[in-house]
C-alpha cells in the first residue's frame, strides 16, 4: 500500500492485517475526488471506517455512487434498513443470519463489491460489526494447505444459514429458504488482480468430493483460522459512523444484540464487478 495514498486519505491502520480509519471531511468524501484512492485503500485494508461522518440518507447514496454502481435492493430501494425489528423491516428474520460469519450475496452470479453501513440507532449492549480479512487469511496459510485447498468446490445456500439461527425450522420455512437456490463456489477465489481469498461463511454447506465429516472439519478449521484475532476487527459503533467493507475479500458478522433494542443501520451496496472464479 502506498504511503502517499494513506497520507492523502488521512488514514491510519487499525490492525496490521485489516482496517483503516479515514479522516477526510464529508465534503471531500462527497466530491468524488478521492474515490479511486478510496477504492484502492479498501482493497488493501478490507474495511474503511469514517468515524462519526454523519451522512444523511441522501449523502450516503451520493457517496456510494462516487465509488461505483449502486446496487439497489430487491424491492428497488437504494437504502436498506438493517434491523431485527419486524415492524421496521418485514424481512427482518432473514437478517438473523448476519450474526454468523458471512459474505453478502453468495447466491448471486456476481457477489456485491462492497457494502456501506451507517449507524442510526445503537443497541445499548452488543451489536458490534466484526470483520475478517480473507485475503490475509489465505496468504498466511501454510503452503501444504494452499496446495490442498486450491481446486476445492463448496456448496453454498441460504438454507444452510437458516439452521444457524433456527435449528428446528418448519418444513414450510425450510422450503421457502430452499427456493432461493444453491451455488457451487470455489473455496479459493482467484481475483483478476492476481490475489486470492478464502470463500467461507454460514452459507457454506459442504465441500464437494470428501466425506461429510472431513468436509465439516475443514470448513470449521478454516473459519477458525480466518477469524483469528490478527485477521479480524470488531467495530464498536457510534451514531453517525459509516463503515465500508470489501465484500470480496472479507467476511463479517454482527455480535449478538437484543432484537427489540431498536438498533438500526442503513446499508447501501456497490454492484459486484467480478464473478467468483
Ligand atoms: C449486513 C450485515 C451486520 C450488522 O448488513 O449485511 O451483515 O452489524 N450487517 O448489522
Ligand atoms: Mn451481511
Amino acid at each position: 500500500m502506498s504511503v502517499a495514498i494513506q497520507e492523502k486519505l488521512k488514514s491510519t491502520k487499525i490492525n496490521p492485517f485489516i482496517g483503516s480509519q479515514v479522516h477526510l471531511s464529508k465534503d471531500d468524501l462527497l466530491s468524488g475526488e478521492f474515490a479511486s484512492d478510496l477504492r484502492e485503500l479498501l482493497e488493501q485494508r478490507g474495511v474503511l471506517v469514517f468515524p462519526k461522518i454523519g451522512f444523511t440518507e441522501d449523502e450516503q447514496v451520493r457517496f456510494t455512487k462516487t465509488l461505483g454502481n449502486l446496487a439497489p435492493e430487491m424491492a428497488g430501494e437504494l437504502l436498506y434498513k438493517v434491523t431485527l425489528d419486524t415492524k421496521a423491516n418485514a424481512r427482518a428474520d432473514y437478517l438473523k443470519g448476519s450474526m454468523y460469519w458471512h459474505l453478502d450475496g453468495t447466491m448471486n452470479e456476481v457477489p456485491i463489491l462492497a457494502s456501506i453501513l451507517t449507524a442510526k440507532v445503537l443497541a445499548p449492549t452488543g451489536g458490534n460489526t466484526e470483520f475478517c480479512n480473507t485475503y490475509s487469511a489465505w496468504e498466511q496459510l501454510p503452503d501444504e494447505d494452499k496446495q490442498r485447498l486450491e481446486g476445492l468446490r463448496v456448496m453454498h445456500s441460504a438454507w444452510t444459514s437458516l439452521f444457524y439461527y433456527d435449528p428446528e425450522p418448519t418444513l414450510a420455512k425450510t422450503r421457502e429458504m430452499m427456493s432461493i437456490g444453491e451455488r457451487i463456489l470455489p473455496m479459493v477465489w482467484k481475483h483478476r488482480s492476481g490475489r486470492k481469498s478464502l470463500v467461507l461463511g454460514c452459507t457454506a454447506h459442504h465441500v464437494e468430493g470428501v466425506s461429510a465429516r472431513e468436509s465439516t472439519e475443514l470448513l470449521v478449521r478454516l473459519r477458525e483460522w480466518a477469524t483469528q484475532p490478527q485477521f479480524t476487527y470488531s467495530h464498536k459503533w457510534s451514531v453517525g459512523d459509516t463503515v465500508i467493507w470489501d465484500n470480496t475479500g472479507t467476511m463479517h458478522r454482527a455480535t449478538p444484540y437484543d432484537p427489540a433494542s431498536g438498533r438500526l443501520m442503513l446499508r447501501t451496496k456497490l454492484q459486484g464487478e467480478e464473478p467468483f472464479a
Side-chain angles (χ1 to χ4, degrees):
M1 178 80 240
S2 98
V3 175
I5 288 184
Q6 294 190 56
E7 278 174 10
K8 202 165 151 195
L9 297 177
K10 301 191 176 119
S11 74
T12 49
K13 288 186 178 177
I14 299 173
N15 285 343
F17 285 119
I18 188 166
S20 283
Q21 287 205 357
V22 174
H23 297 284
L24 292 175
S25 70
K26 190 195 270 188
D27 284 347
D28 280 344
L29 292 175
L30 293 176
S31 73
E33 201 184 316
F34 298 90
S36 63
D37 291 330
L38 286 166
R39 283 276 305 254
E40 189 172 335
L41 189 70
L42 178 64
E43 203 257 342
Q44 291 299 322
R45 306 294 305 146
V47 181
L48 303 181
V49 177
F50 306 93
K52 296 190 185 165
I53 194 77
F55 282 146
T56 63
E57 293 189 22
D58 176 58
E59 286 166 346
Q60 182 172 342
V61 168
R62 278 166 52 208
F63 174 59
T64 305
K65 288 180 173 170
T66 66
L67 297 171
N69 292 322
L70 186 147
E73 296 297 331
M74 274 186 283
E77 318 101 316
L78 303 182
L79 283 121
Y80 180 76
K81 282 185 184 155
V82 177
T83 173
L84 292 178
D85 179 353
T86 42
K87 290 193 286 301
N89 176 354
R91 301 188 69 236
D93 265 7
Y94 187 73
L95 281 167
K96 288 182 187 157
S98 70
M99 303 240 180
Y100 305 91
W101 290 108
H102 67 283
L103 273 78
D104 291 336
T106 41
M107 291 299 101
N108 302 336
E109 187 68 37
V110 178
I112 58 164
L113 174 71
S115 296
I116 300 173
L117 213 55
T118 294
K120 297 289 174 182
V121 181
L122 304 182
T125 56
N128 282 19
T129 308
E130 302 194 319
F131 303 92
C132 74
N133 191 328
T134 53
Y135 279 125
S136 301
W138 165 259
E139 285 155 10
Q140 300 301 314
L141 274 173
D143 281 343
E144 61 262 35
D145 270 333
K146 286 186 176 162
Q147 276 153 23
R148 169 158 184 238
L149 298 180
E150 277 199 277
L152 291 183
R153 289 150 44 94
V154 182
M155 192 276 260
H156 286 255
S157 65
W159 67 259
T160 304
S161 64
L162 168 66
F163 289 86
Y164 280 72
Y165 57 86
D166 186 3
E168 293 183 340
T170 61
L171 180 58
K173 183 73 197 171
T174 306
R175 285 181 171 154
E176 183 194 320
M177 295 298 280
M178 283 179 165
S179 73
I180 298 171
E182 297 171 0
R183 293 190 67 84
I184 305 296
L185 302 178
M187 169 83 86
V188 183
W189 186 349
K190 299 177 189 70
H191 299 255
R192 284 183 195 140
S193 63
R195 289 183 87 192
K196 293 174 186 171
S197 65
L198 288 169
V199 180
L200 300 166
C202 64
T203 53
H205 186 265
H206 68 272
V207 181
E208 286 192 327
V210 302
S211 71
R213 182 185 164 116
E214 199 183 328
S215 162
T216 297
E217 205 182 301
L218 184 56
L219 290 171
V220 169
R221 178 160 75 85
L222 291 174
R223 192 244 306 131
E224 189 174 69
W225 170 267
T227 59
Q228 292 176 96
Q230 68 266 36
F231 303 131
T232 56
Y233 166 59
S234 184
H235 184 70
K236 184 169 171 50
W237 292 94
S238 295
V239 170
D241 285 352
T242 289
V243 170
I244 176 168
W245 64 88
D246 175 357
N247 187 59
T248 72
T250 58
M251 288 195 290
H252 61 281
R253 68 173 179 184
T255 64
Y257 60 93
D258 178 1
S261 65
R263 181 184 190 267
L264 173 65
M265 322 291 276
L266 288 183
R267 186 178 74 193
T268 45
K269 295 186 300 196
L270 282 171
Q271 232 158 53
E273 298 176 357
E274 208 183 325
F276 291 106

PDB file of all heavy atoms in Angstrom, residues 176-192:
ATOM      1  N   GLU A 176     -39.093 -22.617   1.854  1.00  0.00           N
ATOM      2  CA  GLU A 176     -39.027 -21.203   1.421  1.00  0.00           C
ATOM      3  C   GLU A 176     -37.562 -20.801   1.204  1.00  0.00           C
ATOM      4  O   GLU A 176     -37.214 -20.195   0.193  1.00  0.00           O
ATOM      5  CB  GLU A 176     -39.673 -20.337   2.510  1.00  0.00           C
ATOM      6  CG  GLU A 176     -39.743 -18.853   2.184  1.00  0.00           C
ATOM      7  CD  GLU A 176     -40.080 -18.048   3.442  1.00  0.00           C
ATOM      8  OE1 GLU A 176     -40.927 -18.503   4.250  1.00  0.00           O
ATOM      9  OE2 GLU A 176     -39.467 -16.974   3.628  1.00  0.00           O
ATOM     10  N   MET A 177     -36.719 -21.166   2.174  1.00  0.00           N
ATOM     11  CA  MET A 177     -35.295 -20.822   2.043  1.00  0.00           C
ATOM     12  C   MET A 177     -34.640 -21.615   0.903  1.00  0.00           C
ATOM     13  O   MET A 177     -33.772 -21.110   0.196  1.00  0.00           O
ATOM     14  CB  MET A 177     -34.557 -21.079   3.360  1.00  0.00           C
ATOM     15  CG  MET A 177     -35.010 -20.195   4.505  1.00  0.00           C
ATOM     16  SD  MET A 177     -34.729 -18.437   4.224  1.00  0.00           S
ATOM     17  CE  MET A 177     -32.985 -18.329   4.632  1.00  0.00           C
ATOM     18  N   MET A 178     -35.080 -22.859   0.728  1.00  0.00           N
ATOM     19  CA  MET A 178     -34.506 -23.674  -0.351  1.00  0.00           C
ATOM     20  C   MET A 178     -34.847 -23.108  -1.726  1.00  0.00           C
ATOM     21  O   MET A 178     -34.090 -23.283  -2.685  1.00  0.00           O
ATOM     22  CB  MET A 178     -34.988 -25.120  -0.237  1.00  0.00           C
ATOM     23  CG  MET A 178     -34.267 -25.884   0.859  1.00  0.00           C
ATOM     24  SD  MET A 178     -34.863 -27.579   0.991  1.00  0.00           S
ATOM     25  CE  MET A 178     -33.555 -28.298   1.995  1.00  0.00           C
ATOM     26  N   SER A 179     -35.975 -22.387  -1.787  1.00  0.00           N
ATOM     27  CA  SER A 179     -36.384 -21.845  -3.098  1.00  0.00           C
ATOM     28  C   SER A 179     -35.415 -20.761  -3.581  1.00  0.00           C
ATOM     29  O   SER A 179     -35.402 -20.409  -4.749  1.00  0.00           O
ATOM     30  CB  SER A 179     -37.811 -21.293  -3.018  1.00  0.00           C
ATOM     31  OG  SER A 179     -37.805 -20.079  -2.282  1.00  0.00           O
ATOM     32  N   ILE A 180     -34.573 -20.263  -2.672  1.00  0.00           N
ATOM     33  CA  ILE A 180     -33.585 -19.243  -3.069  1.00  0.00           C
ATOM     34  C   ILE A 180     -32.474 -19.881  -3.924  1.00  0.00           C
ATOM     35  O   ILE A 180     -31.847 -19.221  -4.743  1.00  0.00           O
ATOM     36  CB  ILE A 180     -33.001 -18.539  -1.814  1.00  0.00           C
ATOM     37  CG1 ILE A 180     -34.127 -17.805  -1.063  1.00  0.00           C
ATOM     38  CG2 ILE A 180     -31.880 -17.562  -2.174  1.00  0.00           C
ATOM     39  CD1 ILE A 180     -33.714 -17.247   0.302  1.00  0.00           C
ATOM     40  N   GLY A 181     -32.263 -21.188  -3.720  1.00  0.00           N
ATOM     41  CA  GLY A 181     -31.307 -21.894  -4.578  1.00  0.00           C
ATOM     42  C   GLY A 181     -30.012 -22.255  -3.878  1.00  0.00           C
ATOM     43  O   GLY A 181     -29.855 -22.056  -2.675  1.00  0.00           O
ATOM     44  N   GLU A 182     -29.118 -22.802  -4.654  1.00  0.00           N
ATOM     45  CA  GLU A 182     -27.804 -23.252  -4.162  1.00  0.00           C
ATOM     46  C   GLU A 182     -26.771 -22.880  -5.203  1.00  0.00           C
ATOM     47  O   GLU A 182     -27.099 -22.771  -6.379  1.00  0.00           O
ATOM     48  CB  GLU A 182     -27.809 -24.786  -4.003  1.00  0.00           C
ATOM     49  CG  GLU A 182     -28.803 -25.256  -2.980  1.00  0.00           C
ATOM     50  CD  GLU A 182     -28.994 -26.762  -2.959  1.00  0.00           C
ATOM     51  OE1 GLU A 182     -28.345 -27.471  -3.745  1.00  0.00           O
ATOM     52  OE2 GLU A 182     -29.811 -27.211  -2.144  1.00  0.00           O
ATOM     53  N   ARG A 183     -25.539 -22.706  -4.744  1.00  0.00           N
ATOM     54  CA  ARG A 183     -24.473 -22.405  -5.709  1.00  0.00           C
ATOM     55  C   ARG A 183     -23.212 -23.170  -5.327  1.00  0.00           C
ATOM     56  O   ARG A 183     -22.932 -23.366  -4.152  1.00  0.00           O
ATOM     57  CB  ARG A 183     -24.151 -20.910  -5.719  1.00  0.00           C
ATOM     58  CG  ARG A 183     -25.270 -20.052  -6.251  1.00  0.00           C
ATOM     59  CD  ARG A 183     -24.796 -18.636  -6.459  1.00  0.00           C
ATOM     60  NE  ARG A 183     -23.822 -18.571  -7.530  1.00  0.00           N
ATOM     61  CZ  ARG A 183     -24.122 -18.477  -8.819  1.00  0.00           C
ATOM     62  NH1 ARG A 183     -25.387 -18.421  -9.183  1.00  0.00           N
ATOM     63  NH2 ARG A 183     -23.180 -18.427  -9.726  1.00  0.00           N
ATOM     64  N   ILE A 184     -22.480 -23.586  -6.341  1.00  0.00           N
ATOM     65  CA  ILE A 184     -21.181 -24.210  -6.100  1.00  0.00           C
ATOM     66  C   ILE A 184     -20.127 -23.128  -6.319  1.00  0.00           C
ATOM     67  O   ILE A 184     -20.037 -22.547  -7.407  1.00  0.00           O
ATOM     68  CB  ILE A 184     -20.930 -25.382  -7.086  1.00  0.00           C
ATOM     69  CG1 ILE A 184     -22.069 -26.401  -7.032  1.00  0.00           C
ATOM     70  CG2 ILE A 184     -19.574 -26.027  -6.800  1.00  0.00           C
ATOM     71  CD1 ILE A 184     -22.222 -27.114  -5.709  1.00  0.00           C
ATOM     72  N   LEU A 185     -19.372 -22.836  -5.274  1.00  0.00           N
ATOM     73  CA  LEU A 185     -18.372 -21.764  -5.345  1.00  0.00           C
ATOM     74  C   LEU A 185     -16.979 -22.328  -5.076  1.00  0.00           C
ATOM     75  O   LEU A 185     -16.838 -23.324  -4.355  1.00  0.00           O
ATOM     76  CB  LEU A 185     -18.683 -20.676  -4.299  1.00  0.00           C
ATOM     77  CG  LEU A 185     -20.060 -20.016  -4.405  1.00  0.00           C
ATOM     78  CD1 LEU A 185     -20.243 -18.991  -3.284  1.00  0.00           C
ATOM     79  CD2 LEU A 185     -20.241 -19.351  -5.760  1.00  0.00           C
ATOM     80  N   PRO A 186     -15.969 -21.683  -5.647  1.00  0.00           N
ATOM     81  CA  PRO A 186     -14.602 -22.137  -5.347  1.00  0.00           C
ATOM     82  C   PRO A 186     -14.266 -21.833  -3.889  1.00  0.00           C
ATOM     83  O   PRO A 186     -14.704 -20.826  -3.340  1.00  0.00           O
ATOM     84  CB  PRO A 186     -13.736 -21.290  -6.284  1.00  0.00           C
ATOM     85  CG  PRO A 186     -14.553 -20.066  -6.565  1.00  0.00           C
ATOM     86  CD  PRO A 186     -15.990 -20.490  -6.509  1.00  0.00           C
ATOM     87  N   MET A 187     -13.514 -22.709  -3.251  1.00  0.00           N
ATOM     88  CA  MET A 187     -13.026 -22.458  -1.885  1.00  0.00           C
ATOM     89  C   MET A 187     -12.035 -21.296  -1.893  1.00  0.00           C
ATOM     90  O   MET A 187     -11.967 -20.503  -0.947  1.00  0.00           O
ATOM     91  CB  MET A 187     -12.347 -23.737  -1.379  1.00  0.00           C
ATOM     92  CG  MET A 187     -11.575 -23.582  -0.121  1.00  0.00           C
ATOM     93  SD  MET A 187     -12.646 -23.685   1.286  1.00  0.00           S
ATOM     94  CE  MET A 187     -12.699 -25.440   1.566  1.00  0.00           C
ATOM     95  N   VAL A 188     -11.281 -21.196  -2.994  1.00  0.00           N
ATOM     96  CA  VAL A 188     -10.265 -20.147  -3.120  1.00  0.00           C
ATOM     97  C   VAL A 188     -10.620 -19.303  -4.334  1.00  0.00           C
ATOM     98  O   VAL A 188     -10.670 -19.816  -5.452  1.00  0.00           O
ATOM     99  CB  VAL A 188      -8.859 -20.771  -3.306  1.00  0.00           C
ATOM    100  CG1 VAL A 188      -7.802 -19.675  -3.353  1.00  0.00           C
ATOM    101  CG2 VAL A 188      -8.561 -21.759  -2.183  1.00  0.00           C
ATOM    102  N   TRP A 189     -10.882 -18.041  -4.086  1.00  0.00           N
ATOM    103  CA  TRP A 189     -11.272 -17.122  -5.164  1.00  0.00           C
ATOM    104  C   TRP A 189     -10.004 -16.519  -5.769  1.00  0.00           C
ATOM    105  O   TRP A 189      -9.228 -15.881  -5.055  1.00  0.00           O
ATOM    106  CB  TRP A 189     -12.158 -16.036  -4.570  1.00  0.00           C
ATOM    107  CG  TRP A 189     -12.766 -15.076  -5.544  1.00  0.00           C
ATOM    108  CD1 TRP A 189     -12.479 -14.919  -6.871  1.00  0.00           C
ATOM    109  CD2 TRP A 189     -13.807 -14.128  -5.251  1.00  0.00           C
ATOM    110  NE1 TRP A 189     -13.262 -13.946  -7.423  1.00  0.00           N
ATOM    111  CE2 TRP A 189     -14.085 -13.444  -6.458  1.00  0.00           C
ATOM    112  CE3 TRP A 189     -14.509 -13.797  -4.103  1.00  0.00           C
ATOM    113  CZ2 TRP A 189     -15.050 -12.424  -6.516  1.00  0.00           C
ATOM    114  CZ3 TRP A 189     -15.457 -12.797  -4.161  1.00  0.00           C
ATOM    115  CH2 TRP A 189     -15.730 -12.121  -5.366  1.00  0.00           C
ATOM    116  N   LYS A 190      -9.816 -16.758  -7.071  1.00  0.00           N
ATOM    117  CA  LYS A 190      -8.671 -16.162  -7.769  1.00  0.00           C
ATOM    118  C   LYS A 190      -9.152 -14.885  -8.440  1.00  0.00           C
ATOM    119  O   LYS A 190      -9.833 -14.923  -9.467  1.00  0.00           O
ATOM    120  CB  LYS A 190      -8.109 -17.139  -8.801  1.00  0.00           C
ATOM    121  CG  LYS A 190      -7.614 -18.418  -8.162  1.00  0.00           C
ATOM    122  CD  LYS A 190      -7.119 -19.428  -9.189  1.00  0.00           C
ATOM    123  CE  LYS A 190      -6.844 -20.764  -8.543  1.00  0.00           C
ATOM    124  NZ  LYS A 190      -8.083 -21.489  -8.105  1.00  0.00           N
ATOM    125  N   HIS A 191      -8.800 -13.776  -7.846  1.00  0.00           N
ATOM    126  CA  HIS A 191      -9.284 -12.483  -8.346  1.00  0.00           C
ATOM    127  C   HIS A 191      -8.493 -12.066  -9.578  1.00  0.00           C
ATOM    128  O   HIS A 191      -7.375 -12.515  -9.795  1.00  0.00           O
ATOM    129  CB  HIS A 191      -9.139 -11.419  -7.247  1.00  0.00           C
ATOM    130  CG  HIS A 191      -9.934 -11.735  -6.011  1.00  0.00           C
ATOM    131  ND1 HIS A 191     -11.108 -11.087  -5.684  1.00  0.00           N
ATOM    132  CD2 HIS A 191      -9.741 -12.641  -5.027  1.00  0.00           C
ATOM    133  CE1 HIS A 191     -11.585 -11.583  -4.549  1.00  0.00           C
ATOM    134  NE2 HIS A 191     -10.771 -12.534  -4.129  1.00  0.00           N
ATOM    135  N   ARG A 192      -9.114 -11.160 -10.362  1.00  0.00           N
ATOM    136  CA  ARG A 192      -8.438 -10.677 -11.583  1.00  0.00           C
ATOM    137  C   ARG A 192      -7.118 -10.004 -11.260  1.00  0.00           C
ATOM    138  O   ARG A 192      -6.192  -9.997 -12.056  1.00  0.00           O
ATOM    139  CB  ARG A 192      -9.337  -9.677 -12.314  1.00  0.00           C
ATOM    140  CG  ARG A 192     -10.452 -10.360 -13.056  1.00  0.00           C
ATOM    141  CD  ARG A 192     -11.292  -9.354 -13.831  1.00  0.00           C
ATOM    142  NE  ARG A 192     -12.535  -9.993 -14.225  1.00  0.00           N
ATOM    143  CZ  ARG A 192     -13.723  -9.411 -14.209  1.00  0.00           C
ATOM    144  NH1 ARG A 192     -13.839  -8.141 -13.832  1.00  0.00           N
ATOM    145  NH2 ARG A 192     -14.793 -10.063 -14.576  1.00  0.00           N
TER     146      ARG A 192
END
